[in-house]
Amino acid sequence: MNSSAGSGGEMEVDSNKQEIFQRKRNAVLVNGVILNGPITDSKSGEKFVEDACKIIMEEVIQKAADVTEKVCEWQPPEKLKKLLDLEMRDTGEPHQKLLQLCQDIIRYSVKTNHPRFFNQLYAGIDYYSLVARFITEALNPSVYTYEVSPVFLLVEEAVLKRMIEFIGWKEGDGIFNPGGSVSNMYAMNLARYKYCPDIKEKGLSGLPRLVLFTSEECHYSMNKAASFLGIGTQNVYFITTDARGKMIPEELEKQVQRARKEGAAPFLVCATAGTTVLGAFDPLDKIADICEKHGLWLHVDASWGGSALMSRKHRKLLHGIHRADSVAWNPHKMLMAGIQCCALLVKDNSDLLKKCYSAKASYLFQQDKFYDVSYDTGDKSIQCSRRPDAFKFWMTWKALGTTGLEERVNRALALARYLVDEIKKREGFQLLLEPEYANICFWYIPSSLRKMEEGPEFWEKLHQVAPVIKERMMKKGSMMLGYQPHRGKVNFFRQVVISPQVSREDMDFLLDEIDLLGRDL
Amino acid sequence: MNSSAGSGGEMEVDSNKQEIFQRKRNAVLVNGVILNGPITDSKSGEKFVEDACKIIMEEVIQKAADVTEKVCEWQPPEKLKKLLDLEMRDTGEPHQKLLQLCQDIIRYSVKTNHPRFFNQLYAGIDYYSLVARFITEALNPSVYTYEVSPVFLLVEEAVLKRMIEFIGWKEGDGIFNPGGSVSNMYAMNLARYKYCPDIKEKGLSGLPRLVLFTSEECHYSMNKAASFLGIGTQNVYFITTDARGKMIPEELEKQVQRARKEGAAPFLVCATAGTTVLGAFDPLDKIADICEKHGLWLHVDASWGGSALMSRKHRKLLHGIHRADSVAWNPHKMLMAGIQCCALLVKDNSDLLKKCYSAKASYLFQQDKFYDVSYDTGDKSIQCSRRPDAFKFWMTWKALGTTGLEERVNRALALARYLVDEIKKREGFQLLLEPEYANICFWYIPSSLRKMEEGPEFWEKLHQVAPVIKERMMKKGSMMLGYQPHRGKVNFFRQVVISPQVSREDMDFLLDEIDLLGRDL
């Protein structure tokens, strides 16, 4: 490698093989490869990293706080393929070309840390977790054994311990996973293992039909998990919700009884704390009563809503969560730890995670190591190599303190409240429902529809409004906001407030901009 | 946030609430929170990132090429907890303290990019993938829809296409996953879906016992997958291997027939290309014949060995791989893309991945979008948010070209060959078996044992040698090398050669150092 041709350095050795062979003392040639000395030019490599970091700093990090920058420079797929030089060739590219590629990659990527990126359940830039992520990438650890990841295993332990405290358990266990969906799968499998440990070895064949319960408003990962784990999506019994999207406990009771009558084996209830679309919180305390009565594992998918636990003001949304057997909670969402940072927390303290997941690989988890191998937590995981995701959250927590994290949650929910009030005031905006959390769902009704009666024609026309406004905002690059139809409701916008960079001015802008983009529809 | 107190900036707003409220025009106060303007101080945040990047550059990246640095500064768990300030408090820490913490984190972490880190199946520093990883962290994308990840979805498509070419398929599909273990799970589930699509909805209950076959030398993820997917570890039939660790096809044939006689339902063979400990390659062509004959899905776990496909000289190790139905291949191992970069590749071109995994979440995969939604690949995944891991490999491929990647594989295997020859020459070193790949397994026999007969006492004593040498090398920090017992063989070292920074001198050092550390045993 050198600065003018990326692969040049590694190739040069080859081209002048014989000459170098003569020159070098003790040179060794095996299968046509000279083995003396490294073949990478580390100075040139370091220079490349430095140059690229400068681009990242200028083009991504410094622009993240600037609302006058575009959220994205939209290009359709086929055109973007032409704009980017994606092809991988026989010969490498020089550093100058690679740096240009970095510029292009950044240019055409969506700036998810832009103050007006509201499209998903994560957003914004957190400088502390970002530093932790850069450290992670530079050190390139894998978190399975203490000998390879001493620091990151201790950090994970410390973070899990604090998260467990916030749930309200005296003790517990846990693991960070690549996504809340995976955490939900872990919980489902743990509950199943607890119900019948034999399944680990014998499988489900010949067993009665296992059934689990979750609300109609649950995340789609419940279906994915049931399918992946061999339980089957038909054995996910969806419980009716009330008008605010909360599971109705009486309906849960009925469904558990129905499953029993069918001769099936109910084993798990998955409640949701902060549903994806509406941001609804299931009534955990009442659900816990039913779980207790029927001996069912209670898992709470608090991937999105879990962060409310950090706020003394808002933690009541999760009242009863301490009664759960397991909780999924993603600090990469409202607490901005960066994709991905997702904990599964388990109340059991009998090493259930390890019993359920262990495969005891002798090449990794040797028992005759010279240190306390209880720190080798890799056998709690379905993964082999695993990233130190807890570290990102830890760094932010260290930097802001618990009160700083609380402040973020409080501010996001206050901004959500402000937006709701504005929506109520403004003509042409209609709230779907009073939000409990940071999801604000609303319709924009263009003036052409404002006088129309709310019949089938009205809804059909309204359904087409959000996609057009979305297309226009994407092409303009002014902001990003999601829309969806949902359970009989036609397309509506879902605004999500997260980042502390976001202010009241951005909320006003959001409504102004939707009106501007959709006025003529 | 400001430079003297991490959480100060966010808190300050709060403390002077009333004053600011008076001063600001149009100030809005909701639930005690002032909503005007962002509460992060972006300048101070950027400065913190810059300072931290300087530390990362000096302490990690520039030291990565220096063999005189320690691979790790070993501390036992309880002592390390005291050395690090891990506790998360109510109040945040100032930037200066945080930067010191970054220094400490780095100091006590294992330098997996040190030229003498040989402990796992990944190692070294690749400056190109590192830059891609920094870009990823700064942009913080999630790869599920084109609207949020336009560039990274196209990059993934391009990389998968080239990997599919190297396998030798005309077409195919694929997805990048958080680890080879997860890829193996995907394959197992895909094979099961292909065998009986009803399982997705109905589950395994009431179905005949599904059975899969893999070698005794397979990765432990096979057991984890069988357990997680509800198949059960007892239904993994392990096939005897030959002395080199390769699956014996005749034994596979026998086991398939046995399963049929038992009334079970064989559906899958998982062959391994590059086993974890011995680096053995199963005879894919012969195994493919058996799969064809019995109508079984053939999955090849080439997580480790797949990279040999990049070398015209060594790709014959995987002869027959084009006949596989699916392949797991991790460029984060020999091709140094950074933890994690793991592809599952599927030969089927009928959208099987999507059919098997889809849950059709209407809030994410709206069908009325204004662009071609076939680019929204998120429904092929068990994850919701997913990292753009393909991008890391793409950047290295662009930089080195195919020939540069080939060079790396050739050099690693030439170095492995050199080490084998040296082991044979040196007294006190004994090779377990002739390696096929970059795993060199050997015993070090201290002089006290060299004259002893190879009876039970000899083996018992030899078993204790590697752990002691490992402890000594960890405490010295001179290098890191794995050991394990394996299938009746007492503890032996497994040396793995990957990084182009590694040279013949490091191989000599490795043997000298083991001798130095173990001489007195």
Side-chain angles (χ1 to χ4, degrees), chain A residues 64-83:
Chain A
D66 187 353
V67 290
T68 67
E69 290 289 330
K70 283 187 171 186
V71 178
C72 76
E73 187 163 327
W74 169 262
Q75 298 292 348
E78 294 306 324
K79 178 139 182 243
L80 185 52
K81 279 186 206 174
K82 283 180 195 132
L83 288 167

Side-chain angles (χ1 to χ4, degrees), chain A residues 88 162 340 366 385 483, chain B residues 88 162 340 366 385 483:
Chain A
M88 290 145 279
R162 290 307 302 276
Q340 290 156 318
Q366 302 91 324
S385 56
Y483 75 86
Chain B
M88 290 145 279
R162 289 308 302 277
Q340 292 159 316
Q366 302 90 324
S385 56
Y483 76 85

Side-chain angles (χ1 to χ4, degrees), chain A residues 26 35 78 87-88 90 128 147 162 224 340 366 368 375 381 385 398 403 470 483 504, chain B residues 1 26 35 78 87-88 90 139 147 162 224 340 366 375 381 385 398 403 407 470 483 504:
Chain A
N26 301 322
L35 301 181
E78 294 306 324
E87 200 192 330
M88 290 145 279
D90 285 351
Y128 307 110
E147 70 184 67
R162 290 307 302 276
K224 290 216 177 194
Q340 290 156 318
Q366 302 91 324
D368 53 3
Y375 284 94
S381 171
S385 56
K398 287 296 275 188
T403 47
K470 175 73 178 257
Y483 75 86
R504 179 236 141 162
Chain B
M1 174 206 319
N26 301 320
L35 301 180
E78 294 307 325
E87 200 192 329
M88 290 145 279
D90 284 351
L139 287 171
E147 71 184 65
R162 289 308 302 277
K224 291 217 177 193
Q340 292 159 316
Q366 302 90 324
Y375 285 95
S381 172
S385 56
K398 287 297 274 188
T403 47
E407 174 109 356
K470 176 72 178 256
Y483 76 85
R504 181 233 139 162

